[in-house]
Amino acid sequence: MTSPADAPPPPSGAIVGPDGLARPAWASVDPMLRDYYDTEWGVPVRTEHALFERISLEAFQSGLSWAIILRKRPGFRTAFADFDPDRIAAFDENDVARLLQDEQIVRNRLKVRATITNAKATVALREQGGLVDFVWGFQPATTPQPRTQADVPTSSEASVSLAKALKKVGFVFVGPTTMFALMEAIGMIDTHLLDSHRRGSSGVWG
């Protein structure tokens, strides 16, 4: 019987781990990223609180690796009132100064202010049905079918439309690439490789 270690690599370039499960290269080495991939990435997010956190962290990730943000997530949660939109919407200049001194987070003034701006926009959006329905309203009719990592796009018509719509209601740091990453992370699209053990696990796309 062939062991996972002796089996030929999947044609997609995914890596088969000691547990016999195929994952993309980015989720195959770092235990933290592997756990995130196995338990969280691509799982549907349908609460305002959790979705606001994801939007905030995706904005902070812009220009950085996701591993940096994930390692700092506990610190982000502490610094940003557990990503409670109502509490963050009330942050003032003293809070901005405090956050820019906090080594637990990414200390970027524009991104810190963007989080406060987006909290205010999230609260205001409740009058239009709320953040969750607004974002999920841009779910496309189809999802990518990537055989290799090179087949995974970095933006789409839906992510462009979502970015434009969010900007119109007051959000910032929500470009098409960032929103595509959000759509992947919250299960709106399924960009797991076709031979990944997580393909179809969201329950959204079968």
Side-chain angles (χ1 to χ4, degrees), residues 11-196:
S12 68
I15 296 174
V16 177
D19 54 8
L21 301 177
R23 301 176 180 86
W26 69 264
S28 299
V29 179
D30 187 323
M32 177 190 66
L33 289 175
R34 184 171 60 244
D35 182 66
Y36 172 70
Y37 180 80
D38 284 352
T39 64
E40 190 173 353
W41 191 72
V43 174
V45 174
R46 298 186 185 273
T47 66
E48 180 192 79
H49 188 150
L51 184 52
F52 173 71
E53 176 180 342
R54 296 299 187 86
I55 290 174
S56 301
L57 293 179
E58 291 291 352
F60 272 102
Q61 186 272 335
S62 179
L64 302 171
S65 74
W66 181 245
I68 290 174
I69 302 303
L70 203 57
R71 287 191 181 93
K72 288 181 174 288
R73 182 159 64 169
F76 273 112
R77 287 173 170 171
T78 298
F80 282 98
D82 199 31
F83 288 102
D84 181 329
D86 291 288
R87 294 174 65 186
I88 297 174
F91 279 10
D92 58 19
E93 289 302 314
N94 289 330
D95 291 296
V96 172
R98 168 182 60 82
L99 291 164
L100 291 176
Q101 296 299 317
D102 193 336
E103 296 181 354
Q104 297 183 93
I105 68 170
V106 174
R107 293 176 290 176
N108 180 295
R109 186 180 297 274
L110 291 177
K111 294 176 181 180
V112 166
R113 290 190 181 278
T115 305
I116 299 170
T117 296
N118 291 346
K120 293 176 180 178
T122 296
V123 172
L125 198 55
R126 293 169 187 165
E127 296 182 0
Q128 300 181 43
L131 180 63
V132 173
D133 287 349
F134 189 93
V135 170
W136 277 87
F138 288 86
Q139 181 183 345
T142 60
T143 191
Q145 303 279 331
R147 294 186 178 279
T148 71
Q149 198 62 41
D151 295 332
V152 180
T154 56
S155 66
S156 66
E157 183 178 339
S159 75
V160 170
S161 297
L162 174 58
K164 288 180 179 178
L166 284 170
K167 288 176 182 177
K168 285 183 179 179
V169 294
F171 285 78
V172 293
F173 266 91
V174 287
T177 300
T178 299
M179 288 303 95
F180 189 84
L182 176 76
M183 292 165 66
E184 293 179 288
I186 68 171
M188 277 180 66
I189 53 175
D190 187 346
T191 57
H192 291 291
L193 301 179
L194 293 180
D195 57 5
S196 166

